[in-house]
Amino acid sequence: MKTPIIAPSLLAANFLEIGKEVEMVNNSEADWLHLDVMDGRFVPNISFGLPVIAQISKIAKKVCDVHLMIEEPEKYTEAFQKAGAQILTVHIEACVHLHRNLQQIRSLGMKAGIAVNPHTSIGLLENVIRDADVVLLMSVNPGFGGQHFIEQTYTKIRTLRELIDRTGSKALIEIDGGVTLDNAHDILSAGADVLVAGNTVFASKDPVATISALKQ
């Protein structure tokens, strides 16, 4: 099993100390910094947006992995690129013209990701999988942190891994929601490449050590 990519989710951080939280991630074994953008329409919650990400990206030494849980993401693609996004992930459920959305993201020099909600079939990715750099499987229902991992996700990971291997896609499989030290090994064994961890990291007594444990 190859070494996973670890992407702490800033949604679970202490926002009164956001600069310190980013520096903690900078000084850890994490690979990416996961940034969740919610609009209160596509998901029943609102998080942070362009101004916050623009400030975070100035001090972040890790890859800024921006996950758009918003409607009509194509309207904001260029703005997020200017704010510092290096990976930009959009939801298949929010995109009427997903292939076009992925091309738009790549044309701006970012890596393009597709996010998939728990109810959405992997089969819908068949014709776009080679145009994606990342496929983010939601292992909880999007909108809120601290939820429990949906067990059916293991089957979806294996199905997605088969599709990627069969089509020759280079896409990484990213898992977002309910990732813990207890289930990380099983998630990776099923075929995942990237672990997003929010509460597991930021609620830990020693976040740097927790990131290291996830990495191992």
Side-chain angles (χ1 to χ4, degrees):
M1 191 166 59
K2 60 186 177 182
T3 303
I5 293 168
I6 306 301
S9 174
L10 214 62
L11 190 66
N14 177 0
F15 278 80
L16 292 177
E17 301 283 356
I18 200 68
K20 291 181 180 178
E21 299 280 53
V22 174
E23 286 298 336
M24 180 276 293
V25 175
N26 283 344
N27 294 321
S28 75
E29 293 181 58
D31 305 277
W32 298 355
L33 182 63
H34 190 77
L35 302 164
D36 288 307
V37 179
M38 305 179 190
D39 63 359
R41 295 172 63 204
F42 180 71
V43 292
N45 198 7
I46 296 173
S47 60
F48 47 79
L50 289 161
V52 173
I53 290 176
Q55 294 302 312
I56 289 170
S57 69
K58 290 179 181 179
I59 61 171
K61 297 177 182 177
K62 308 295 184 176
V63 172
C64 288
D65 173 36
V66 178
H67 175 195
L68 299 185
M69 288 177 264
I70 67 175
E71 295 183 4
E72 300 180 302
E74 65 278 0
K75 292 184 177 180
Y76 308 97
T77 302
E78 187 171 353
F80 278 105
Q81 186 269 334
K82 290 179 178 177
Q86 292 161 282
I87 302 169
L88 194 65
T89 297
V90 296
H91 269 263
I92 187 171
E93 301 87 2
C95 295
V96 178
H97 305 290
L98 181 59
H99 182 265
R100 182 182 296 164
N101 297 142
L102 298 174
Q103 288 183 315
Q104 179 191 31
I105 293 167
R106 282 180 157 183
S107 74
L108 292 167
M110 295 177 287
K111 291 189 175 181
I114 305 170
V116 181
N117 278 343
H119 73 276
T120 301
S121 172
I122 294 300
L124 295 175
L125 300 174
E126 180 86 31
N127 294 312
V128 290
I129 191 67
R130 287 179 293 274
D131 299 290
D133 299 294
V134 177
V135 177
L136 185 157
L137 296 183
M138 291 302 304
S139 42
V140 297
N141 284 294
F144 298 93
Q147 300 181 65
H148 293 295
F149 183 87
I150 296 172
E151 294 294 315
Q152 179 62 21
T153 307
Y154 291 119
T155 301
K156 289 186 77 171
I157 296 170
R158 288 188 282 268
T159 302
L160 177 56
R161 173 54 60 198
E162 188 278 329
L163 174 62
I164 288 171
D165 292 345
R166 174 166 55 81
T167 58
S169 168
K170 303 297 185 184
L172 297 173
I173 299 176
E174 182 173 8
I175 305 302
D176 185 359
V179 174
T180 68
L181 290 171
D182 291 330
N183 63 19
H185 183 271
D186 289 341
I187 292 169
L188 295 167
S189 295
D193 304 292
V194 185
L195 300 177
V196 175
N199 286 345
T200 293
V201 168
F202 289 100
S204 168
K205 292 182 179 179
D206 189 343
V208 172
T210 299
I211 291 168
S212 181
L214 286 168
K215 191 78 175 172
Q216 303 308 317

